[in-house]
Amino acid sequence: MTDFARVAGAERLGRIAALLERSGIPLEEIARVDKVRVGDHEVAIKVRRDDGTDEVRVVRQAADSLVLTPVWQAGPAWPVVQPAAPVRVPTSKAAPADDCITCVVLPDTQIGWWQLDDGLVPMHDPAALAVAVELVRRARPHRVVILGDLLDLGEASTKWLTTPTFARTIQASLDTAHEWLAQVRAAAPVARVDLIEGNHDRRLSTLIQSNAAAAFGLRRAQTPDSWPVLSLANLLRLDELGIDWHPGYPASRVWLRDDVLVHHGTKVSSAKASRDPVAVSTIQGHTHRMGAITRTMLGRSAHPVHTIHVECGTLARIDGAVPSVHGSVDDGGRPVRQLEDWQQGLVVLEMAPEPGDLPTVELVPIHDGRARWRGRTYTAANR
C-alpha cells in the first residue's frame, strides 16, 4: 500500500468516526454498516464584500453519510440448529449369545451444557457415558434400550426458569448425543437399539408447538415419509445409526417380551410403579435412582403372577450440574454443588425368549467413572 493510500484511508476513517460522534451513536449499538459514502460536493454561496456588493464563491463541503442497521433491529446473530455432524466409529466384531435374550438398558444421560465464562461445562458425565459403552461392548446384547431423557434441553424448557447460561447449547448437545449414540451402535453392531422419548426430550417439540406452530412437523420437500426437520430423530441422524425412535412421552414404550415393558416412566420410584394395575414387569428411568422390587399377585385359576419393577439409575452427573428441584445457580449462573440422591449405573437383563420366568436383573453401579461387572473393572480409560 502506498503512503498516499494509507493517508487517504486514515482520512476516510477519521471522517466516519467524526460523523458517528456528531450523530451521538455508540459503536456497541451498531449491528452492521450497510452503506458508506465519504466525499465532498461544491456549493455556491453569496459573500458580502466590504464595499456592500455581493460576491458568489464556490466552496467544497463534506457529504459524508452512513446507512446502519442497529442491534435491536438485527436481532441476535445466533446460528440455526443443524443436524449433528455424522460420526463414524469402528464396530465391535463380537456376536451375542444365542441361548437367551440379553438386553442392556441405558438410563437418563441428560446430555447438555452450561455456557459459562470459562467455556462449555457438561451436565452429563463423560466418564459414565464411556463406561456404559464399554459395558455394552462386553455384554454383546441382542437389544439395547435407551430409556429417554437422552438430552436435557434446558434451553428449550417452557415450564421452568431458563438461565441465560443455557443459551446456544442445543447444537452442542445434539452433536455430543449423536457421537455417543454412534459409539453405542458401534459397540453393539448387530443389536436392535431403541431410543424412547423422555419428558426432557419432549421439550423441543413442546417449544416448537408453543412458539412456532407453523414449523411443527415440517419435512424436506417431496419426502412425506421422512422425519420432521426439527424432530430429534432427524437432528440426531437416527436413521443413519439404525436406531429405532419411540416418540410420544409418556405413552412411548418398548416391549422386550409380552410380559416385560420398558418405558421412561412417570412414577418417582419403582415402589410406586409396582402399584400400577399391570400384571407385567416394568423397567424404567426418570427417577435417576437404582433399585428393584418384586411382586407376586393372584392370577387366573389361582396361579401366581410374578413381576419385577426396576429403576435403572442415571448416566448424568449427580453433583448438582443437572437442573432439579433441589438445585440452583449462583449470581453468575453457575450451578451450585448439590449432592442429589441419585445413583449412576445401568441394567443388564437376561431372559428366555418366551414369557414366563422373570428376567434376571443385574444392577451395575458406576461410581467416579468406574464399574465392576462379572469379574472385571471398567473405567473410562479402558476405551
Side-chain angles (χ1 to χ4, degrees):
M1 180 182 294
T2 65
D3 292 340
F4 175 79
R6 278 194 293 268
V7 171
E11 180 184 356
R12 286 170 58 87
L13 291 175
R15 291 176 63 165
I16 292 171
L19 178 60
L20 290 173
E21 184 176 355
R22 290 196 303 272
S23 302
I25 301 175
L27 292 177
E28 60 270 17
E29 293 184 6
I30 301 173
R32 63 177 180 270
V33 178
D34 300 305
K35 187 176 181 181
V36 178
R37 180 183 176 186
V38 177
D40 302 323
H41 64 270
E42 294 182 345
V43 178
I45 62 174
K46 188 180 292 185
V47 179
R48 181 62 57 88
R49 298 189 181 95
D50 294 338
D51 60 5
T53 60
D54 293 330
E55 176 188 357
V56 177
R57 296 179 183 176
V58 176
V59 297
R60 298 185 65 82
Q61 291 185 347
D64 305 335
S65 65
L66 294 174
V67 178
L68 307 173
T69 296
V71 170
W72 63 266
Q73 187 177 37
W78 290 358
V80 176
V81 172
Q82 301 291 327
V87 174
R88 300 289 180 262
V89 181
T91 59
S92 171
K93 300 185 182 302
D98 295 327
D99 55 345
C100 67
I101 296 175
T102 301
C103 178
V104 177
V105 183
L106 302 174
D108 311 32
T109 55
Q110 306 284 149
I111 292 174
W113 298 89
W114 295 85
Q115 184 82 260
L116 303 177
D117 292 339
D118 49 354
L120 290 173
V121 175
M123 59 182 64
H124 53 280
D125 188 331
L129 294 177
V131 170
V133 170
E134 286 305 303
L135 286 165
V136 169
R137 194 187 316 277
R138 183 70 172 180
R140 296 186 297 169
H142 298 81
R143 295 190 73 166
V144 177
V145 180
I146 303 167
L147 282 178
D149 283 1
L150 173 75
L151 298 159
D152 185 80
L153 293 178
E155 186 180 2
S157 176
T158 58
K159 181 178 180 181
W160 306 104
L161 179 65
T162 301
T163 172
T165 46
F166 288 154
R168 301 176 64 185
T169 58
I170 290 180
Q171 186 68 65
S173 301
L174 290 169
D175 293 341
T176 302
H178 173 78
E179 181 178 5
W180 182 71
L181 290 173
Q183 293 169 359
V184 172
R185 164 49 76 197
V190 300
R192 174 176 174 177
V193 181
D194 299 277
L195 172 56
I196 300 172
E197 183 179 59
N199 53 298
H200 281 254
D201 304 314
R202 190 73 175 174
R203 284 176 168 177
L204 183 59
S205 174
T206 301
L207 178 71
I208 295 169
Q209 293 180 70
S210 300
N211 298 282
F216 179 73
L218 290 180
R219 294 168 171 82
R220 290 177 295 175
Q222 305 301 324
T223 59
D225 297 327
S226 65
W227 288 108
V229 174
L230 292 177
S231 68
L232 285 185
N234 181 65
L235 294 171
L236 291 170
R237 300 176 177 269
L238 297 185
D239 55 342
E240 298 174 18
L241 297 175
I243 293 177
D244 293 327
W245 171 238
H246 301 272
Y249 176 84
S252 49
R253 59 178 64 93
V254 167
W255 291 92
L256 299 181
R257 287 187 332 199
D258 288 346
D259 58 349
V260 180
L261 168 67
V262 185
H263 62 149
H264 178 70
T266 59
K267 306 297 183 182
V268 295
S269 72
S270 55
K272 292 185 177 180
S274 70
R275 293 197 290 270
D276 280 345
V278 293
V280 297
S281 296
T282 59
I283 318 296
Q284 74 163 76
H286 191 58
T287 68
H288 293 196
R289 298 186 181 92
M290 300 190 74
I293 292 177
T294 56
R295 292 192 66 195
T296 301
M297 297 174 286
L298 185 64
R300 179 179 295 181
S301 302
H303 288 293
V305 176
H306 303 290
T307 60
I308 188 166
H309 306 274
V310 183
E311 296 173 273
C312 297
T314 182
L315 293 172
R317 290 171 58 177
I318 61 174
D319 59 357
V322 176
S324 70
V325 294
H326 303 295
S328 188
V329 297
D330 62 19
D331 292 341
R334 182 180 293 272
V336 177
R337 182 172 177 80
Q338 163 70 31
L339 182 63
E340 299 280 2
D341 183 18
W342 299 344
Q343 296 84 47
Q344 289 183 334
L346 54 83
V347 167
V348 180
L349 303 172
E350 289 188 345
M351 66 192 85
E354 300 300 325
D357 295 338
L358 286 181
T360 298
V361 176
E362 294 180 275
L363 304 177
V364 186
I366 299 174
H367 181 66
D368 287 341
R370 296 170 60 88
R372 186 163 183 82
W373 181 63
R374 297 186 182 179
R376 181 175 176 179
T377 300
Y378 297 84
T379 67
N382 293 150
R383 300 194 58 214

